[in-house]
Amino acid sequence: MTNTQSPLPSPLEDGIHELPSGKLATIVTYLEMFARPTPRPVPEQPGLELIRHKAPDLDWYRVLYRRVGEDWLWFSRMYMQDAKLSAILTDPDVEVYSARKDGVDLGLLELDFRDPDNTELAFFGLDTSLIGGGTGRWLMEHALDKAFTRPIKRFFVHTCTLDSPQAVGFYIRSGFVPYGRAIEVMDDPRMNGPLSETAAPQIPRI
């Protein structure tokens, strides 16, 4: 998930728009729901537990953020200054969880309740070792339970074409409904940025 806030206010002119070297473009899809969907059955997840982290250590957080997001070029939190990131993660209306297996944190769930009318599934991701076998569904059911434990009005998320190709379909199956689309252009975070040159090899550096 990238750092986009809302869809573009007007459509772009039709056609192909070339990007200069060092830039990336992605199509962002916005999805929302207004009530807790009917829970879906979840396969057993032996040895897996969900851990709440209040005021998480920034180094720990960035390691996990990179672990689950580097393959999809998650970068927004990697640019963020310590004070700003700490202010978010220590806010009582931001909840950070890890999916932990055999003592190792392998998944990230972050819920942002700071806007009481618009609760955001801010970050949701798994290490590749946990992908498959229903672990994503397990984590999403936990996310939905925790989100709708509070008297929220709207739960929303956005994903983009840099993320897993399965992301949009997964969110729809989880009960989210698409409502908007945007194009985001950004510096490639592998070009003198916070991510390594070998990150996301499926997206060529130009």
Side-chain angles (χ1 to χ4, degrees), residues 24 32 48 103 116:
L24 291 172
E32 63 187 357
L48 197 63

Side-chain angles (χ1 to χ4, degrees), residues 22-65:
K23 289 287 188 180
L24 291 172
T26 182
I27 299 173
V28 182
T29 300
Y30 298 85
L31 306 100
E32 63 187 357
M33 64 172 67
F34 295 91
R36 173 55 162 110
T38 301
R40 297 197 294 164
V42 177
E44 290 289 331
Q45 301 295 317
L48 197 63
E49 54 185 338
L50 191 69
I51 306 296
R52 170 82 186 275
H53 299 268
K54 295 184 178 180
D57 176 79
L58 296 186
D59 289 339
W60 169 87
Y61 178 88
R62 287 183 173 123
V63 167
L64 181 57
Y65 180 91

Side-chain angles (χ1 to χ4, degrees), residues 4-5 7 15 19 49 66 78 82 90 103 113 120-121 139 145 147 153 157 172 185 201:
T4 305
Q5 297 300 317
L19 296 174
E49 54 185 338
R66 183 186 292 271
M78 303 304 294
D82 285 0
T90 60
F113 296 95
E120 183 177 11
L121 177 57
L139 186 59
D145 285 344
K153 295 183 179 179
V157 65
I172 291 173
V185 177

